[in-house]
Amino acid sequence: MPSKDLTRRAVPDSADVDAGQAGAALVEHYPRLVRLAYLILPPSLGRNRRVLTAHSLAQRALPRGRRSGAADSLPAPRRADGCDPAYAYVRGRVVAAALDVARPRRWNAWPRRAQLPPLLPQVWGLRLFPRSGGADELALDQRLSALSGPARAAYALRGLEGLDDAKVRRVLEAAGVADPRTALDRAAGPSAQYGLLASAAFDPCSLQARPTDLLRRRRRSRGALAVAAAVVVCGTLLALPAGGLGAGHTAPPPDTGGAVSGQALDPAKLTRVAGTAWRTSARTDFSVWPARGDRTADTALLRRALAVWARPGGPVQVSATPGTPEGPPMGAPQLLYAGTVDDAVVVLFYDGLRVVRYAEAKDGGGRPALDFARVDGADETASDALVVGRTDGNVRYLTAPWVRTAGVRDLLAPAADARPLARSADGVTDPVPGPGASRACTSWNALALRDGAGTHLLTDLGELPPARLLAGPPTGPHDVTGAADLAGWAHTACLLPAVRSHGVRTVNSWQFASQQLPATGGRAAWLCTRADTWRGTGSRVLAQFRVPVPGADGGPDPDTVVARAENSPACGKRQPQVLAGVLWKSRDGQWYVLAAGSSQFASLATTGGVTGSTTGRLLAVPAKQGAKAQLTGRLTDGTRVSALR
């Protein structure tokens, strides 16, 4: 039976370790051990407690005596694999203790020591957390948080320590993991971005400090003084012979609002960027947007907006794009805009990760609204505009200071020029009819902005940052500018509601094949449209089939969607190939299975209800109405790929 003290379990070797050797190994490798503990600890602890607990576990990893007992044995000489035995011993104790914290506690059992808040180290009046990482680090942290403790330990031992699976299994077994093989299998879930583990985002020794909630601390201090005074008074009253002055009264409890930095609620602390800072800055994104609008000096408005952001109450309408945290600001955010927009008063903030929009009725009635949108990693083009208001089906945009001209282009009228769009001195555009306003989809307006990098098309998909429209293969998409690109988007625009309100950053539409239809049916086009998100996951992919319509005199018809997928790498940078098929009826009444693949395909085949194959990337096989076929293809390197579904 394993020992109850999980931090003293046996490790893979059997000789004793001197406490002095273990202490030297701990001091030499302390940052590495603390980082390992931080990665294994459950994210549910919160970053501040996770940092302190990681340091506490590393500091408690030494043996308790001059020499460890037989259960904690390691050989004194360096092992054949080159690992310092003293370090391996300390590492094993850190892993076991960190897993101890992650283990669920029984309802009828006392918590283990590691599961309690650490006695040492302690920090008063400050919250500590590692430095912020980029989008890749944030995505990896989210994926690791979904793993079990043993799986996180396996991932960290692989990536941070460089151990192979056999050594990882031995360390996990010594730490009391019942099923190390399952932990190793689950650790293979997050993509192997081991290099990110060395990032400052996972370093609990390189920290940022923020104050705890100053308002709450002040209230609690006053409450503690009041309680102490009450105790003194009550003690005095109890000492009175007649029982004191009568019945006592208790004070109401102090306000227990959420933990928000007092600096984040102070309008005077808001970051305000100079109007010309973007001209000389090394960065061109939201961080160099100046504070604009006719209400930037309205302290009462800014205070209300910050207070609602920090603690939105019941009447507040809150919305957030998928994957965007809705929490309060960690510190003083940047003010982008504060002003009157139609019948509303709008405030826009930016905190490095999110754009936050606060809106209230100009006459003071109605319910305030609070919108969150993730914009981390935004470049110059992605920072060209934000939606500042929507009224009666119209949209107003706030454009970046580097935008030179603005226009509106109807995607369903590719031959027409973009119409000029007027802007105020603060960069707010005139109202633009919202895209796809009519159910019949007779028009789809896109914003045409010209900046130093060229002209870009953006469209409103129901969120604060408009989505950028692109065309071309996934390995090199480009802005929609040429006649061919505009003609292609005329057939794709009315499919955009499929990705509305999904946190979309870019939408790329790409014609990957052209096919001569049987029975002189003309020439069909195969397209792939991919919507990528700000959060990196949740991409949506559509495969489209376009056939010529003889004598069509109306607007362009939308393409037929023959396949769709979510969270698929197909038609993207990581997997630029795509394969799709459709059951099609010719003019003479004959049905066919048609299929097409991108240029990476060397052969196609269909099985099941319809059998056929071809060398090349285009397939046409006679079939019956309602036939079910399974479509596959082989790439030029021999890899077998299924059709998009």
Side-chain angles (χ1 to χ4, degrees):
M1 294 295 292
S3 168
K4 292 182 179 179
D5 185 353
L6 296 175
T7 65
R8 296 180 56 83
R9 292 185 186 273
V11 287
D13 294 306
S14 60
D16 290 340
V17 160
D18 184 86
Q21 294 175 336
L26 175 61
V27 172
E28 180 181 357
H29 301 288
Y30 183 79
R32 186 171 163 190
L33 292 167
V34 177
R35 186 188 293 259
L36 178 64
Y38 181 82
L39 290 168
I40 299 173
L41 287 170
S44 59
L45 293 177
R47 292 191 295 174
N48 181 70
R49 182 173 169 187
R50 197 172 162 198
V51 165
L52 296 178
T53 302
H55 282 272
S56 176
L57 297 182
Q59 293 171 15
R60 297 200 332 246
L62 291 177
R64 297 183 180 177
R66 177 62 185 166
R67 300 187 67 83
S68 63
D72 297 320
S73 55
L74 274 175
R78 183 174 291 272
R79 299 202 307 242
D81 60 5
C83 179
D84 178 7
Y87 171 70
Y89 165 77
V90 176
R91 179 183 63 196
R93 287 178 64 92
V94 169
V95 171
L99 289 174
D100 219 2
V101 178
R103 285 186 176 90
R105 191 182 63 169
R106 297 178 183 175
W107 67 272
N108 60 349
W110 290 99
R112 301 179 180 91
R113 179 186 176 189
Q115 293 176 325
L116 296 173
L119 296 176
L120 290 174
Q122 283 287 349
V123 178
W124 297 92
L126 290 174
R127 290 183 296 108
L128 304 177
F129 48 90
R131 298 183 180 277
S132 300
D136 292 338
E137 287 85 349
L138 179 61
L140 177 60
D141 190 43
Q142 291 174 342
R143 290 195 292 269
L144 290 177
S145 66
L147 298 178
S148 64
R152 286 194 301 273
Y155 190 88
L157 289 169
R158 276 174 173 167
L160 193 63
E161 296 293 297
L163 301 183
D164 57 32
D165 286 0
K167 294 175 184 176
V168 171
R169 188 167 57 251
R170 288 199 296 269
V171 174
L172 294 180
E173 288 172 349
V177 175
D179 191 357
R181 293 184 183 276
T182 299
L184 282 165
D185 292 341
R186 291 178 178 174
S191 56
Q193 297 175 295
Y194 295 138
L196 294 178
L197 297 182
S199 166
F202 302 109
D203 184 5
C205 292
S206 179
L207 300 171
Q208 296 185 89
R210 293 291 185 273
T212 55
D213 189 345
L214 301 178
L215 298 178
R216 179 192 288 184
R217 193 198 309 175
R218 181 178 297 175
R219 295 189 193 103
R220 287 181 172 175
S221 299
R222 292 173 178 172
L225 290 174
V227 170
V231 169
V232 173
V233 171
C234 289
T236 303
L237 294 177
L238 289 175
L240 293 176
L245 300 175
H249 300 273
T250 58
D255 182 17
T256 55
V260 182
S261 168
Q263 177 176 288
L265 300 176
D266 186 357
K269 300 294 185 181
L270 286 171
T271 300
R272 299 170 186 255
V273 177
T276 58
W278 63 274
R279 297 182 182 275
T280 56
S281 172
R283 300 175 56 177
T284 310
D285 54 21
F286 291 115
S287 67
V288 292
W289 271 35
R292 292 174 287 175
D294 58 359
R295 303 286 289 274
T296 55
D298 189 337
T299 303
L301 168 65
L302 300 178
R303 192 181 302 279
R304 285 197 305 276
L306 291 170
V308 170
W309 181 3
R311 300 184 185 92
V316 180
Q317 303 177 49
V318 180
S319 69
T321 59
T324 303
E326 299 179 17
M330 295 300 297
Q334 178 183 342
L335 177 63
L336 302 182
Y337 180 84
T340 303
V341 180
D342 296 323
D343 294 329
V345 179
V346 175
V347 182
L348 287 174
F349 298 111
Y350 172 64
D351 68 353
L353 171 68
R354 304 164 295 177
V355 169
V356 180
R357 176 182 179 269
Y358 169 82
E360 64 182 26
K362 186 167 59 174
D363 59 5
R367 299 169 59 187
L370 191 66
D371 304 314
F372 295 88
R374 182 171 170 175
V375 292
D376 51 315
D379 56 12
E380 177 179 351
T381 304
S383 307
D384 270 353
L386 290 172
V387 172
V388 73
R390 294 186 180 91
T391 305
D392 299 329
N394 296 320
V395 184
R396 288 185 187 266
Y397 299 90
L398 177 66
T399 57
W402 53 80
V403 170
R404 300 174 183 176
T405 62
V408 179
R409 178 180 287 279
D410 184 0
L411 294 180
L412 271 60
D417 293 333
R419 305 185 304 274
L421 180 62
R423 296 180 292 163
S424 69
D426 290 328
V428 177
T429 68
D430 283 353
V432 177
S438 64
R439 293 186 178 181
C441 192
T442 56
S443 67
W444 191 285
N445 287 323
L447 190 64
L449 300 181
R450 186 170 68 87
D451 58 20
T455 300
H456 319 288
L457 285 188
L458 310 172
T459 191
D460 175 30
L461 292 180
E463 295 160 337
L464 294 179
R468 182 183 180 186
L469 303 182
L470 301 170
T475 53
H478 54 266
D479 284 297
V480 181
T481 53
D485 297 337
L486 291 170
W489 263 103
H491 296 273
T492 302
C494 289
L495 302 178
L496 285 173
V499 297
R500 192 191 296 271
S501 301
H502 193 60
V504 172
R505 179 172 183 169
T506 60
V507 185
N508 182 44
S509 187
W510 164 50
Q511 180 175 328
F512 63 87
S514 176
Q515 182 177 23
Q516 181 63 45
L517 297 172
T520 65
R523 197 160 192 85
W526 292 87
L527 297 94
C528 182
T529 298
R530 180 183 178 89
D532 284 318
T533 66
W534 285 95
R535 63 191 182 278
T537 59
S539 59
R540 292 185 177 179
V541 183
L542 303 178
Q544 300 151 230
F545 181 64
R546 181 189 306 159
V547 296
V549 181
D553 54 0
D557 292 327
D559 293 339
T560 300
V561 177
V562 298
R564 65 184 69 215
E566 187 163 351
N567 281 322
S568 170
C571 201
K573 290 183 179 180
R574 295 184 179 275
Q575 187 176 306
Q577 66 269 13
V578 61
L579 171 63
V582 68
L583 188 63
W584 176 78
K585 182 181 179 181
S586 67
R587 297 178 186 175
D588 58 9
Q590 174 63 49
W591 289 88
Y592 292 87
V593 169
L594 304 179
S598 53
S599 60
Q600 297 86 351
F601 283 86
S603 64
L604 306 180
T606 178
T607 57
V610 181
T611 303
S613 63
T614 184
T615 300
R617 59 191 185 102
L618 300 174
L619 174 73
V621 180
K624 295 181 179 180
Q625 182 178 1
K628 303 293 184 182
Q630 300 294 325
L631 181 63
T632 58
R634 288 195 179 275
L635 304 180
T636 53
D637 62 3
T639 304
R640 185 175 180 271
V641 178
S642 299
L644 184 72
R645 64 180 63 233

